[in-house]
Amino acid sequence: MKSIGILGVGQAGGNIAEIASTMGFQTALINTNQRDGAVNTKVEKKYFVPGYNGAGQDRSVGLRAVHEHYRELIDFVKKSFKNVKLLLVAFSTDGGTGSGMSPLLIDILLDQLPGMNIGAIAVVPERNVLAGNRINAAECIEQISKIEGISSVFLVDNDQMRKVNPQSSKQQVYLQSNHQVMEAISHVLEVTQKSSFYGNFDETDLMNILNTRGVTLISSAPVTDAKTTAEVAESIQRSWASSIFCPVDTVGVIRAGLIYEGPETVTKLINVPSIFEGIGEPLELFEGTYITEGDPTITTILAGLSFPRRRLQSLEESLEKNKERLQYLVKKEHAERYESSVSWASNLKAKPPERKSSGVTSKLSKYQK
Ligand SMILES: Nc1nc2c(ncn2[C@@H]2O[C@H](COP(=O)(O)OP(=O)(O)OP(=O)(O)O)[C@@H](O)[C@H]2O)c(=O)[nH]1
Ligand SMILES: [Mg+2]
């Protein structure tokens, strides 16, 4: 059984858990909306917060669901995951359920399940989402970044997939993002099961890296065409920029993994100082070398990165730019009144003739000759 578990919260979280199930991870999901969670048929363990019918992109509803049901939520998580060394809570940052529930839920689980390390897979929305989603994402990411004792935070960037396929539908972008993040995690976990003459990357190494607090990124670089150490380093750095995760935009990696798979000849082109030139050498590096006949590939794991300021500012920028318009819209909801200029005309409306009952006797006498 795999030692990493995936707990999906909300729709995006449930979809990520669904793919994780097909790859053999232990999974479970939580939602405030039964109909959303029901579509993820590959996830067997489900908890629907009673008394809710979705959060309608309102984070405070998600937050309230945890306040009211945290005991059941803790029990559900305890029952759902057995012998898991790292639990990754997956959710989107810009909806209501996953975004509102997850930061508090993770914080409570860290307190109540001391034997389990807990990290996050947090989806950062595409650049073109509307103001309400941007506000949710900014609030959620800030809360996640402040959790003490949290392990790796994977920031899945929907924009990365959009850049590659500008014409894709939303659903295609979501599905591909979900696949890529789970493939990346699954791949590094599978490597720990292999053995090597030249240097093993084992599960303890992986957990050392993934239990680092901060942002984590996994990427794989094909180095088939690289002829020099500089070209190998460049390919790796390019893979950091084009992975499914928010691109690195600061210096400072705390722990890292470097896994080589391929023919032996290429190994001499791997030069650690040049690989980390731009972002600084990590405190600890865990390496694995696996000689195969396949195309040479270098997978790197960077942990303990800062939250990507530039990427997150691009989300917040349009809120700043539209501050006045957005404040106006909020005020308008309550101030809205329409004054008709023809209210005097209401009197013109046809009125039914007045009918006063004077009694049959009076009618009879009126017609008497
Ligand atoms: N990568 C990825 N992103 C998704 C997926 N589904 C939704 N999203 C993202 O999540 C946002 C919507 O959030 P949901 O996860 O549907 O929201 P929720 O947590 O269910 O909360 P409510 O629907 O408000 O109750 C979208 O704007 C996307 O950014 C998915 O399957 N994969
Ligand atoms: Mg939903």
Side-chain angles (χ1 to χ4, degrees), residues 4-66:
I4 295 179
I6 306 292
L7 171 66
V9 187
Q11 178 91 79
N15 293 344
I16 292 171
E18 172 93 356
I19 285 169
S21 298
T22 65
M23 296 179 176
F25 286 88
Q26 291 183 52
T27 60
L29 68 78
I30 294 168
N31 211 321
T32 53
N33 181 332
Q34 195 147 354
R35 256 175 298 151
D36 280 358
V39 300
N40 300 128
T41 51
K42 306 243 165 55
V43 182
E44 284 170 18
K45 292 160 182 146
K46 298 177 186 184
Y47 179 79
F48 298 113
V49 188
Y52 287 78
N53 195 2
Q57 300 194 12
D58 184 345
R59 296 188 74 240
S60 69
V61 176
L63 189 65
R64 181 151 43 85
V66 181

Side-chain angles (χ1 to χ4, degrees), residues 109-134:
L109 292 175
L110 283 166
D111 191 69
Q112 296 295 305
L113 307 178
M116 204 188 263
N117 292 306
I118 302 172
I121 299 175
V123 177
V124 178
E126 287 186 60
R127 248 157 247 247
N128 62 6
V129 291
L130 299 186
N133 300 80
R134 290 167 190 272

Side-chain angles (χ1 to χ4, degrees), residues 142-209:
E142 183 174 323
Q143 287 178 351
I144 291 289
S145 80
K146 290 181 178 167
I147 300 174
E148 286 170 27
I150 193 172
S151 296
S152 281
V153 174
F154 291 96
L155 292 176
V156 178
D157 190 346
N158 280 351
D159 237 16
Q160 291 289 90
M161 218 58 251
R162 172 64 67 204
K163 272 192 230 158
V164 186
N165 303 308
Q167 305 304 330
S168 297
S169 69
K170 265 192 209 176
Q171 287 67 27
Q172 284 168 323
V173 166
Y174 295 170
L175 196 66
Q176 284 173 350
S177 302
N178 299 351
H179 255 286
Q180 289 207 7
V181 59
M182 285 321 305
E183 254 163 28
I185 295 171
S186 180
H187 177 60
V188 293
L189 195 55
E190 267 160 25
V191 167
T192 65
Q193 303 304 309
K194 293 200 218 171
S195 31
S196 161
F197 276 123
Y198 305 97
N200 247 335
F201 180 81
D202 60 29
E203 200 183 84
T204 311
D205 297 335
L206 179 62
M207 289 305 161
N208 262 331
I209 300 171

Side-chain angles (χ1 to χ4, degrees), residues 8 17 35 42 58 63 65 71 75 83 117 162 175 198 206 210 214 258 274 283 302 307 322 326 337 367:
R35 256 175 298 151
K42 306 243 165 55
D58 184 345
L63 189 65
R71 289 181 200 83
D75 279 349
N83 300 321
N117 292 306
R162 172 64 67 204
L175 196 66
Y198 305 97
L206 179 62
L210 296 187
L258 190 76
S274 51
L283 191 67
L302 307 179
F307 279 74
N322 291 298
L326 295 167
R337 306 277 186 278
Y367 285 82

